[in-house]
Amino acid sequence: DKDHAEREQVVVLLDSGDLRTLDLSAASLVRFSDSKLQIQLKDYLAAVSQARSKDKRSVYIDSSDNKARDIVASYALPMGVWKSSYRLVFTDKPQPTLEGWAIVDNTTGEDWNNVQIAVVSGRPVSFISRLYDAKFVQRQTVDLPEDKVAGPVLYQGGIGGISASLASPAPPPPPGAPAQARMKAMAGLQRAPAAGLVADENGEFYRSRASDVAVDTEARELGDLFEYRFATPMTVKKDESAMLPFVQQTINARKLLVYSESYGRNPMAAAELTNSTGKTLDGGPITVFDGASYAGEALMETLKNADKRLISYAVDLGTRVTTLFDSSAAVVREIHASRGQITTRASIQETKTYTIRNVDQKTKTLIIEHPERPQYTLINQKPSETTATAYRFEVKLAPGATEKFPVTEEHVYENSFAVSSLTPDTLLVYVQNKVISDAGRRELQQILDQKRQIAALADQIKDLDASIAEIVHDQDRIRQNINSLRNVSGQQDQVQKYASQLASQETDLATKRDKESDLKKQKTTLEASVNAEIEKLSF
């Protein structure tokens, strides 16, 4: 075809500048007549091949003599992180059974034949340093002073506490998996829709039950890490995976419910696990079975020995929870004064009532996760446990009963005011408050009396100012009348009358101004006295 014909042609640029097309469809061998060109082509193809294998390195061993000897070369390869998957089986026994599998992937490109495998749980600090590549110091580029431009400033972000959401759980291993069971990249593992059934890579379904696999591992601590070393050597082909059982024993656990307001109206069916295995349990998905029935799935963080953790695996439709919020008015609890400042400590109480309806005819235990708020303290309840962001309250639910669980919190805050800026009416509120001390009440009462006197003097001065202003306005009117009648014949008596009235007002005006001046002096003296008393306030 046309495409095939184009692939069999080579276009050559000649030294003369001409382009010549050569048809290679009939050629079975192509070789350069110039040996130098043939060598250059070989070197080029070798360089291209090496460029495509960046992870491969050549190692040359040089010897100082020609004696025969055995050489052993050891090397390390990067490996995928091993995964853990668990199954928690509740039965009629007091303690459930926990089974765990380690999933390892052979990505080395070589078969593992009877190799010793060990997996380690922990979180060591690890990083990649490019020691193979040559390193050059980059010199700084400096502009001339007149050409230098101010660069952007980068500020560091704040550090906050963000709850990370849980990822979707990975599928659990099939029950009864042999110690050397292999699967191709877990592609065949799937979960059946029927409750209590799990399908393996071959599509065969298993009824949930405790596995009879013998766990043959040596568990030990490695400093801050924990190692599971499998006693039986394993064979894992390249690009395949192995599921290796590393734990199968009973664990301390109890079934309960967990509720947070973000869940909606129904709590989650959960279990409280206490690691009694004596080992570190690496974090991973957990499939929960209640007897022979599939109950749900959960995700667990790495659990050290003797540590405790809650896991939730299903929604409990037999329990409903509603909440009601209520708050009270702020109440002043303390009043203090110092150096002219009054400080009050007031509190406001807020109550959230959880109404819990147990529809099922069986006893349940509910854990309420109530968020912890800054500057709020609990008043009426004591939590069974406290996390970094919440209080946990444990509530017993009777069969078919409705329970109310109120959680009351108190927020205490302070306010400060300058006493000099408070009006007598505001001061009276503090004087009459029951929480103030007797000494403080006497001091404030004295200041209140003086402020009332100052307020009374201010009112008198205000009245005098108004009266003086009225007289001055009337005098202006009389003077205008005198000026208009002075040159009018027959109005001399009226002018004299106006003049007499003006003289009388001047006497009254002088008296009022003297009185106003005296009141202002009294007010200034009283203000200085009360300011001194305010500065001495201390209770």
Side-chain angles (χ1 to χ4, degrees), residues 255-293:
K255 290 193 290 185
L256 39 75
L257 305 178
V258 177
Y259 176 78
S260 176
E261 200 166 13
S262 61
Y263 295 167
R265 300 189 64 180
N266 299 104
M268 300 294 293
E272 183 185 70
L273 302 181
T274 302
N275 187 1
S276 56
T277 64
K279 307 167 185 176
T280 295
L281 300 177
D282 195 70
I286 301 178
T287 301
V288 181
F289 291 93
D290 194 348
S293 299

mmCIF file of all heavy atoms in Angstrom, residues 255-293:
data_model
loop_
_atom_site.group_PDB
_atom_site.id
_atom_site.type_symbol
_atom_site.label_atom_id
_atom_site.label_comp_id
_atom_site.label_asym_id
_atom_site.label_seq_id
_atom_site.Cartn_x
_atom_site.Cartn_y
_atom_site.Cartn_z
ATOM 1 N N LYS A 255 -18.028 -3.780 69.768
ATOM 2 C CA LYS A 255 -18.853 -3.114 68.772
ATOM 3 C C LYS A 255 -19.644 -1.983 69.420
ATOM 4 O O LYS A 255 -20.142 -2.122 70.542
ATOM 5 C CB LYS A 255 -19.805 -4.124 68.120
ATOM 6 C CG LYS A 255 -19.100 -5.116 67.223
ATOM 7 C CD LYS A 255 -20.078 -5.897 66.350
ATOM 8 C CE LYS A 255 -20.906 -6.856 67.196
ATOM 9 N NZ LYS A 255 -21.779 -7.702 66.345
ATOM 10 N N LEU A 256 -19.738 -0.868 68.714
ATOM 11 C CA LEU A 256 -20.502 0.282 69.197
ATOM 12 C C LEU A 256 -20.904 1.140 68.007
ATOM 13 O O LEU A 256 -20.702 0.767 66.853
ATOM 14 C CB LEU A 256 -19.682 1.087 70.216
ATOM 15 C CG LEU A 256 -18.173 1.288 69.987
ATOM 16 C CD1 LEU A 256 -17.910 2.303 68.916
ATOM 17 C CD2 LEU A 256 -17.482 1.687 71.277
ATOM 18 N N LEU A 257 -21.492 2.296 68.308
ATOM 19 C CA LEU A 257 -21.877 3.268 67.290
ATOM 20 C C LEU A 257 -21.098 4.555 67.518
ATOM 21 O O LEU A 257 -20.789 4.908 68.658
ATOM 22 C CB LEU A 257 -23.381 3.559 67.333
ATOM 23 C CG LEU A 257 -24.331 2.365 67.230
ATOM 24 C CD1 LEU A 257 -25.770 2.843 67.349
ATOM 25 C CD2 LEU A 257 -24.127 1.596 65.942
ATOM 26 N N VAL A 258 -20.812 5.254 66.437
ATOM 27 C CA VAL A 258 -20.123 6.542 66.520
ATOM 28 C C VAL A 258 -20.947 7.571 65.760
ATOM 29 O O VAL A 258 -21.383 7.308 64.627
ATOM 30 C CB VAL A 258 -18.699 6.466 65.936
ATOM 31 C CG1 VAL A 258 -18.041 7.841 65.961
ATOM 32 C CG2 VAL A 258 -17.855 5.471 66.706
ATOM 33 N N TYR A 259 -21.174 8.731 66.402
ATOM 34 C CA TYR A 259 -21.972 9.775 65.754
ATOM 35 C C TYR A 259 -21.219 11.100 65.786
ATOM 36 O O TYR A 259 -20.658 11.502 66.799
ATOM 37 C CB TYR A 259 -23.319 9.966 66.445
ATOM 38 C CG TYR A 259 -24.123 11.102 65.843
ATOM 39 C CD1 TYR A 259 -24.803 10.936 64.643
ATOM 40 C CD2 TYR A 259 -24.166 12.343 66.463
ATOM 41 C CE1 TYR A 259 -25.514 11.982 64.075
ATOM 42 C CE2 TYR A 259 -24.878 13.399 65.901
ATOM 43 C CZ TYR A 259 -25.553 13.207 64.707
ATOM 44 O OH TYR A 259 -26.244 14.244 64.142
ATOM 45 N N SER A 260 -21.214 11.765 64.645
ATOM 46 C CA SER A 260 -20.775 13.144 64.519
ATOM 47 C C SER A 260 -21.821 13.878 63.704
ATOM 48 O O SER A 260 -22.472 13.277 62.840
ATOM 49 C CB SER A 260 -19.407 13.217 63.829
ATOM 50 O OG SER A 260 -19.036 14.578 63.619
ATOM 51 N N GLU A 261 -22.029 15.150 63.982
ATOM 52 C CA GLU A 261 -23.110 15.887 63.327
ATOM 53 C C GLU A 261 -22.939 15.908 61.806
ATOM 54 O O GLU A 261 -23.907 16.064 61.063
ATOM 55 C CB GLU A 261 -23.180 17.310 63.869
ATOM 56 C CG GLU A 261 -24.510 17.984 63.639
ATOM 57 C CD GLU A 261 -24.687 19.238 64.468
ATOM 58 O OE1 GLU A 261 -23.681 19.713 65.040
ATOM 59 O OE2 GLU A 261 -25.811 19.750 64.548
ATOM 60 N N SER A 262 -21.704 15.749 61.326
ATOM 61 C CA SER A 262 -21.473 15.734 59.885
ATOM 62 C C SER A 262 -21.984 14.458 59.232
ATOM 63 O O SER A 262 -22.090 14.394 58.001
ATOM 64 C CB SER A 262 -19.973 15.880 59.598
ATOM 65 O OG SER A 262 -19.244 14.807 60.174
ATOM 66 N N TYR A 263 -22.328 13.414 60.025
ATOM 67 C CA TYR A 263 -22.818 12.164 59.453
ATOM 68 C C TYR A 263 -24.266 12.271 58.962
ATOM 69 O O TYR A 263 -24.729 11.429 58.216
ATOM 70 C CB TYR A 263 -22.755 11.030 60.487
ATOM 71 C CG TYR A 263 -21.365 10.657 60.928
ATOM 72 C CD1 TYR A 263 -21.168 9.849 62.036
ATOM 73 C CD2 TYR A 263 -20.240 11.113 60.265
ATOM 74 C CE1 TYR A 263 -19.892 9.501 62.457
ATOM 75 C CE2 TYR A 263 -18.972 10.777 60.679
ATOM 76 C CZ TYR A 263 -18.799 9.976 61.779
ATOM 77 O OH TYR A 263 -17.544 9.637 62.197
ATOM 78 N N GLY A 264 -24.988 13.255 59.406
ATOM 79 C CA GLY A 264 -26.413 13.326 59.092
ATOM 80 C C GLY A 264 -27.231 12.836 60.282
ATOM 81 O O GLY A 264 -26.931 13.141 61.430
ATOM 82 N N ARG A 265 -28.274 12.041 60.042
ATOM 83 C CA ARG A 265 -29.173 11.603 61.114
ATOM 84 C C ARG A 265 -28.804 10.236 61.676
ATOM 85 O O ARG A 265 -29.271 9.876 62.759
ATOM 86 C CB ARG A 265 -30.612 11.561 60.607
ATOM 87 C CG ARG A 265 -31.136 12.910 60.118
ATOM 88 C CD ARG A 265 -32.619 12.854 59.836
ATOM 89 N NE ARG A 265 -33.392 12.595 61.043
ATOM 90 C CZ ARG A 265 -34.716 12.487 61.088
ATOM 91 N NH1 ARG A 265 -35.409 12.618 59.967
ATOM 92 N NH2 ARG A 265 -35.348 12.248 62.215
ATOM 93 N N ASN A 266 -27.994 9.468 60.956
ATOM 94 C CA ASN A 266 -27.684 8.105 61.394
ATOM 95 C C ASN A 266 -26.225 7.997 61.803
ATOM 96 O O ASN A 266 -25.335 8.502 61.102
ATOM 97 C CB ASN A 266 -27.970 7.090 60.280
ATOM 98 C CG ASN A 266 -29.432 7.091 59.861
ATOM 99 O OD1 ASN A 266 -29.787 7.627 58.823
ATOM 100 N ND2 ASN A 266 -30.272 6.491 60.674
ATOM 101 N N PRO A 267 -25.961 7.343 62.922
ATOM 102 C CA PRO A 267 -24.568 7.116 63.313
ATOM 103 C C PRO A 267 -23.941 6.004 62.482
ATOM 104 O O PRO A 267 -24.610 5.334 61.693
ATOM 105 C CB PRO A 267 -24.686 6.726 64.791
ATOM 106 C CG PRO A 267 -26.033 6.090 64.898
ATOM 107 C CD PRO A 267 -26.916 6.807 63.913
ATOM 108 N N MET A 268 -22.664 5.803 62.688
ATOM 109 C CA MET A 268 -21.934 4.754 61.990
ATOM 110 C C MET A 268 -21.752 3.549 62.914
ATOM 111 O O MET A 268 -21.448 3.700 64.094
ATOM 112 C CB MET A 268 -20.558 5.261 61.553
ATOM 113 C CG MET A 268 -20.588 6.458 60.608
ATOM 114 S SD MET A 268 -21.293 6.075 59.000
ATOM 115 C CE MET A 268 -20.049 4.965 58.354
ATOM 116 N N ALA A 269 -21.958 2.362 62.334
ATOM 117 C CA ALA A 269 -21.591 1.147 63.055
ATOM 118 C C ALA A 269 -20.071 1.080 63.103
ATOM 119 O O ALA A 269 -19.390 1.255 62.089
ATOM 120 C CB ALA A 269 -22.161 -0.079 62.351
ATOM 121 N N ALA A 270 -19.525 0.843 64.282
ATOM 122 C CA ALA A 270 -18.089 0.955 64.465
ATOM 123 C C ALA A 270 -17.593 -0.114 65.428
ATOM 124 O O ALA A 270 -18.374 -0.883 66.007
ATOM 125 C CB ALA A 270 -17.718 2.351 64.982
ATOM 126 N N ALA A 271 -16.295 -0.143 65.575
ATOM 127 C CA ALA A 271 -15.643 -1.041 66.529
ATOM 128 C C ALA A 271 -14.495 -0.289 67.165
ATOM 129 O O ALA A 271 -13.814 0.512 66.506
ATOM 130 C CB ALA A 271 -15.141 -2.313 65.845
ATOM 131 N N GLU A 272 -14.303 -0.525 68.436
ATOM 132 C CA GLU A 272 -13.174 0.043 69.163
ATOM 133 C C GLU A 272 -12.119 -1.047 69.302
ATOM 134 O O GLU A 272 -12.326 -2.033 70.002
ATOM 135 C CB GLU A 272 -13.618 0.554 70.530
ATOM 136 C CG GLU A 272 -12.513 1.219 71.321
ATOM 137 C CD GLU A 272 -12.980 1.599 72.721
ATOM 138 O OE1 GLU A 272 -13.198 0.677 73.537
ATOM 139 O OE2 GLU A 272 -13.121 2.803 72.990
ATOM 140 N N LEU A 273 -11.001 -0.877 68.616
ATOM 141 C CA LEU A 273 -9.940 -1.876 68.601
ATOM 142 C C LEU A 273 -8.838 -1.470 69.567
ATOM 143 O O LEU A 273 -8.383 -0.325 69.568
ATOM 144 C CB LEU A 273 -9.340 -2.025 67.199
ATOM 145 C CG LEU A 273 -10.289 -2.406 66.056
ATOM 146 C CD1 LEU A 273 -9.509 -2.532 64.756
ATOM 147 C CD2 LEU A 273 -11.012 -3.705 66.368
ATOM 148 N N THR A 274 -8.423 -2.404 70.387
ATOM 149 C CA THR A 274 -7.250 -2.235 71.239
ATOM 150 C C THR A 274 -6.226 -3.271 70.801
ATOM 151 O O THR A 274 -6.488 -4.472 70.856
ATOM 152 C CB THR A 274 -7.590 -2.412 72.718
ATOM 153 O OG1 THR A 274 -8.599 -1.461 73.090
ATOM 154 C CG2 THR A 274 -6.358 -2.197 73.583
ATOM 155 N N ASN A 275 -5.085 -2.812 70.343
ATOM 156 C CA ASN A 275 -4.080 -3.716 69.788
ATOM 157 C C ASN A 275 -3.475 -4.570 70.901
ATOM 158 O O ASN A 275 -2.584 -4.133 71.628
ATOM 159 C CB ASN A 275 -2.989 -2.927 69.064
ATOM 160 C CG ASN A 275 -2.030 -3.830 68.323
ATOM 161 O OD1 ASN A 275 -2.161 -5.051 68.320
ATOM 162 N ND2 ASN A 275 -1.043 -3.220 67.678
ATOM 163 N N SER A 276 -3.989 -5.776 71.025
ATOM 164 C CA SER A 276 -3.491 -6.728 72.026
ATOM 165 C C SER A 276 -2.669 -7.833 71.383
ATOM 166 O O SER A 276 -2.432 -8.861 72.005
ATOM 167 C CB SER A 276 -4.681 -7.337 72.789
ATOM 168 O OG SER A 276 -5.595 -7.945 71.876
ATOM 169 N N THR A 277 -2.220 -7.615 70.130
ATOM 170 C CA THR A 277 -1.474 -8.655 69.427
ATOM 171 C C THR A 277 -0.010 -8.701 69.824
ATOM 172 O O THR A 277 0.688 -9.667 69.519
ATOM 173 C CB THR A 277 -1.569 -8.430 67.916
ATOM 174 O OG1 THR A 277 -0.940 -7.179 67.580
ATOM 175 C CG2 THR A 277 -3.012 -8.384 67.450
ATOM 176 N N GLY A 278 0.476 -7.646 70.473
ATOM 177 C CA GLY A 278 1.900 -7.582 70.785
ATOM 178 C C GLY A 278 2.735 -7.146 69.599
ATOM 179 O O GLY A 278 3.967 -7.174 69.670
ATOM 180 N N LYS A 279 2.093 -6.745 68.502
ATOM 181 C CA LYS A 279 2.793 -6.364 67.281
ATOM 182 C C LYS A 279 2.288 -4.997 66.823
ATOM 183 O O LYS A 279 1.247 -4.532 67.267
ATOM 184 C CB LYS A 279 2.559 -7.398 66.175
ATOM 185 C CG LYS A 279 2.875 -8.830 66.587
ATOM 186 C CD LYS A 279 2.338 -9.822 65.576
ATOM 187 C CE LYS A 279 2.549 -11.257 66.054
ATOM 188 N NZ LYS A 279 1.959 -12.252 65.137
ATOM 189 N N THR A 280 3.046 -4.408 65.927
ATOM 190 C CA THR A 280 2.586 -3.196 65.269
ATOM 191 C C THR A 280 1.763 -3.578 64.047
ATOM 192 O O THR A 280 2.224 -4.342 63.201
ATOM 193 C CB THR A 280 3.771 -2.315 64.847
ATOM 194 O OG1 THR A 280 4.467 -1.861 66.009
ATOM 195 C CG2 THR A 280 3.293 -1.103 64.057
ATOM 196 N N LEU A 281 0.543 -3.063 63.961
ATOM 197 C CA LEU A 281 -0.343 -3.346 62.832
ATOM 198 C C LEU A 281 -0.241 -2.192 61.849
ATOM 199 O O LEU A 281 -0.611 -1.059 62.150
ATOM 200 C CB LEU A 281 -1.781 -3.516 63.309
ATOM 201 C CG LEU A 281 -2.019 -4.645 64.322
ATOM 202 C CD1 LEU A 281 -3.478 -4.647 64.773
ATOM 203 C CD2 LEU A 281 -1.639 -5.994 63.724
ATOM 204 N N ASP A 282 0.287 -2.490 60.667
ATOM 205 C CA ASP A 282 0.439 -1.462 59.642
ATOM 206 C C ASP A 282 -0.933 -1.002 59.163
ATOM 207 O O ASP A 282 -1.887 -1.781 59.100
ATOM 208 C CB ASP A 282 1.248 -2.021 58.473
ATOM 209 C CG ASP A 282 1.753 -0.926 57.563
ATOM 210 O OD1 ASP A 282 2.635 -0.172 57.994
ATOM 211 O OD2 ASP A 282 1.260 -0.817 56.437
ATOM 212 N N GLY A 283 -1.045 0.284 58.829
ATOM 213 C CA GLY A 283 -2.326 0.824 58.393
ATOM 214 C C GLY A 283 -2.786 0.222 57.086
ATOM 215 O O GLY A 283 -1.985 -0.099 56.203
ATOM 216 N N GLY A 284 -4.090 0.055 56.945
ATOM 217 C CA GLY A 284 -4.639 -0.507 55.726
ATOM 218 C C GLY A 284 -6.134 -0.721 55.835
ATOM 219 O O GLY A 284 -6.755 -0.453 56.873
ATOM 220 N N PRO A 285 -6.763 -1.220 54.773
ATOM 221 C CA PRO A 285 -8.206 -1.472 54.781
ATOM 222 C C PRO A 285 -8.552 -2.697 55.613
ATOM 223 O O PRO A 285 -7.768 -3.641 55.712
ATOM 224 C CB PRO A 285 -8.536 -1.689 53.301
ATOM 225 C CG PRO A 285 -7.264 -2.179 52.700
ATOM 226 C CD PRO A 285 -6.159 -1.517 53.447
ATOM 227 N N ILE A 286 -9.746 -2.676 56.202
ATOM 228 C CA ILE A 286 -10.252 -3.791 57.004
ATOM 229 C C ILE A 286 -11.642 -4.147 56.492
ATOM 230 O O ILE A 286 -12.520 -3.275 56.382
ATOM 231 C CB ILE A 286 -10.338 -3.436 58.500
ATOM 232 C CG1 ILE A 286 -8.965 -3.038 59.043
ATOM 233 C CG2 ILE A 286 -10.897 -4.595 59.307
ATOM 234 C CD1 ILE A 286 -9.002 -2.621 60.508
ATOM 235 N N THR A 287 -11.836 -5.411 56.177
ATOM 236 C CA THR A 287 -13.172 -5.909 55.869
ATOM 237 C C THR A 287 -13.735 -6.560 57.126
ATOM 238 O O THR A 287 -13.093 -7.424 57.719
ATOM 239 C CB THR A 287 -13.128 -6.929 54.720
ATOM 240 O OG1 THR A 287 -12.559 -6.304 53.567
ATOM 241 C CG2 THR A 287 -14.523 -7.414 54.381
ATOM 242 N N VAL A 288 -14.924 -6.115 57.519
ATOM 243 C CA VAL A 288 -15.532 -6.568 58.770
ATOM 244 C C VAL A 288 -16.640 -7.570 58.457
ATOM 245 O O VAL A 288 -17.482 -7.327 57.581
ATOM 246 C CB VAL A 288 -16.093 -5.371 59.573
ATOM 247 C CG1 VAL A 288 -16.693 -5.849 60.887
ATOM 248 C CG2 VAL A 288 -14.983 -4.351 59.827
ATOM 249 N N PHE A 289 -16.619 -8.688 59.177
ATOM 250 C CA PHE A 289 -17.661 -9.713 59.063
ATOM 251 C C PHE A 289 -18.302 -9.896 60.429
ATOM 252 O O PHE A 289 -17.616 -9.950 61.447
ATOM 253 C CB PHE A 289 -17.077 -11.038 58.574
ATOM 254 C CG PHE A 289 -16.608 -11.006 57.151
ATOM 255 C CD1 PHE A 289 -15.298 -10.700 56.846
ATOM 256 C CD2 PHE A 289 -17.485 -11.274 56.118
ATOM 257 C CE1 PHE A 289 -14.858 -10.662 55.536
ATOM 258 C CE2 PHE A 289 -17.058 -11.245 54.805
ATOM 259 C CZ PHE A 289 -15.749 -10.935 54.506
ATOM 260 N N ASP A 290 -19.622 -9.950 60.436
ATOM 261 C CA ASP A 290 -20.383 -10.220 61.650
ATOM 262 C C ASP A 290 -20.929 -11.634 61.527
ATOM 263 O O ASP A 290 -21.923 -11.876 60.849
ATOM 264 C CB ASP A 290 -21.514 -9.214 61.812
ATOM 265 C CG ASP A 290 -22.109 -9.236 63.211
ATOM 266 O OD1 ASP A 290 -21.791 -10.176 63.970
ATOM 267 O OD2 ASP A 290 -22.886 -8.325 63.533
ATOM 268 N N GLY A 291 -20.235 -12.583 62.169
ATOM 269 C CA GLY A 291 -20.568 -13.983 61.986
ATOM 270 C C GLY A 291 -20.200 -14.395 60.578
ATOM 271 O O GLY A 291 -19.055 -14.260 60.144
ATOM 272 N N ALA A 292 -21.168 -14.906 59.824
ATOM 273 C CA ALA A 292 -20.911 -15.334 58.454
ATOM 274 C C ALA A 292 -21.326 -14.284 57.442
ATOM 275 O O ALA A 292 -21.341 -14.554 56.247
ATOM 276 C CB ALA A 292 -21.652 -16.638 58.178
ATOM 277 N N SER A 293 -21.663 -13.064 57.903
ATOM 278 C CA SER A 293 -22.192 -12.035 57.007
ATOM 279 C C SER A 293 -21.191 -10.895 56.855
ATOM 280 O O SER A 293 -20.521 -10.495 57.816
ATOM 281 C CB SER A 293 -23.518 -11.477 57.542
ATOM 282 O OG SER A 293 -24.478 -12.504 57.638
#
